[in-house]
Amino acid sequence: MSGPTTTALTLLARETPLAQEKARVTDWPSYIGWAVGLLIVIGLIYWLMRQGWNWRRTLQSGLPALPAVPASAGPVILETSGRYHGTTTAGNWLDRVVAHGLGTRSRADLTLGERGLLVLRPGDVDLWIPAGQLAGARTDSGIAGKVVPAGLLVVTWSLEGTALDSGFRADHPDEHAAWVEAVNELATRTTKTKTEEAAT
């Protein structure tokens, strides 16, 4: 068989893949269905995260209120700016504390003074750690489940008997070592003074 019939079959064979491709491109109901399904999954994940956050806040509702923020930290020892990365129970970098606004990451301006550590968080809850509640500081790779390649300054402190770790990343991470030394020195000096006062 040849002639027009063969030509027609050849054209049909060429057009079939093109027609299939057009059908796939214009199969909007299928695409819309997938998009809606994806949005539902994302919404469900977000809802579960919020529920977990609220559940954790409820569990931590017994955590004492944060110390009142003073006008200043006293004579300044060090100052820096950077980011606040969160607070956990001391020694457990996955146990995030969300009560009292401690769970949200934010910008932060840190001032270490003779009276303690003042953390100003624009648009969020400020944090004041009196010198008597400072236990020390160290550098670490992460906190609250988040690893920071440049490392963090982690300050250990006590909130009415509950030991906590708070993580900060200075805009210039090479400052962390000086902060560790200064916080540890202030904590040691304050503890020594309290001990001497108790002995008299």
Side-chain angles (χ1 to χ4, degrees):
M1 185 184 297
S2 60
T5 303
T6 302
T7 304
L9 289 173
T10 303
L11 291 173
L12 181 60
R14 290 177 179 175
E15 290 177 356
T16 299
L18 180 61
Q20 291 174 346
E21 184 65 25
K22 287 182 177 178
R24 282 197 295 268
V25 171
T26 57
D27 189 14
W28 292 112
S30 176
Y31 289 127
I32 292 173
W34 276 104
V36 170
L38 182 60
L39 289 174
I40 290 174
V41 170
I42 292 173
L44 178 61
I45 292 173
Y46 177 77
W47 180 80
L48 289 172
M49 290 173 62
R50 292 297 302 173
Q51 290 298 106
W53 191 276
N54 291 333
W55 174 75
R56 185 175 289 272
R57 182 183 289 116
T58 300
L59 286 180
Q60 297 169 352
S61 60
L63 194 69
L66 298 176
V69 178
S72 77
V76 175
I77 300 172
L78 283 175
E79 288 182 308
T80 193
S81 60
R83 291 196 66 82
Y84 167 79
H85 278 268
T87 294
T88 65
T89 53
N92 188 348
W93 81 297
L94 293 176
D95 189 20
R96 177 192 290 271
V97 174
V98 302
H100 309 311
L102 293 175
T104 54
R105 296 187 178 97
S106 65
R107 287 290 303 172
D109 295 316
L110 282 69
T111 301
L112 181 67
E114 291 294 336
R115 294 173 53 204
L117 176 63
L118 178 61
V119 183
L120 299 180
R121 303 168 61 199
D124 219 315
V125 179
D126 295 333
L127 175 61
W128 166 244
I129 306 174
Q133 295 179 13
L134 287 170
R138 69 182 188 277
T139 55
D140 212 326
S141 59
I143 197 167
K146 181 176 178 62
V147 174
V148 180
L152 292 174
L153 165 68
V154 177
V155 176
T156 302
W157 55 291
S158 175
L159 180 58
E160 294 190 22
T162 301
L164 302 172
D165 283 339
S166 293
F168 308 91
R169 182 189 180 280
D171 289 335
H172 303 286
D174 55 350
E175 298 177 354
H176 290 170
W179 274 82
V180 169
E181 182 179 352
V183 171
N184 286 335
E185 197 278 332
L186 177 61
T188 300
R189 188 169 71 248
T190 303
T191 300
K192 182 179 178 181
T193 301
K194 289 170 63 177
T195 302
E196 290 174 349
E197 289 176 351
T200 58

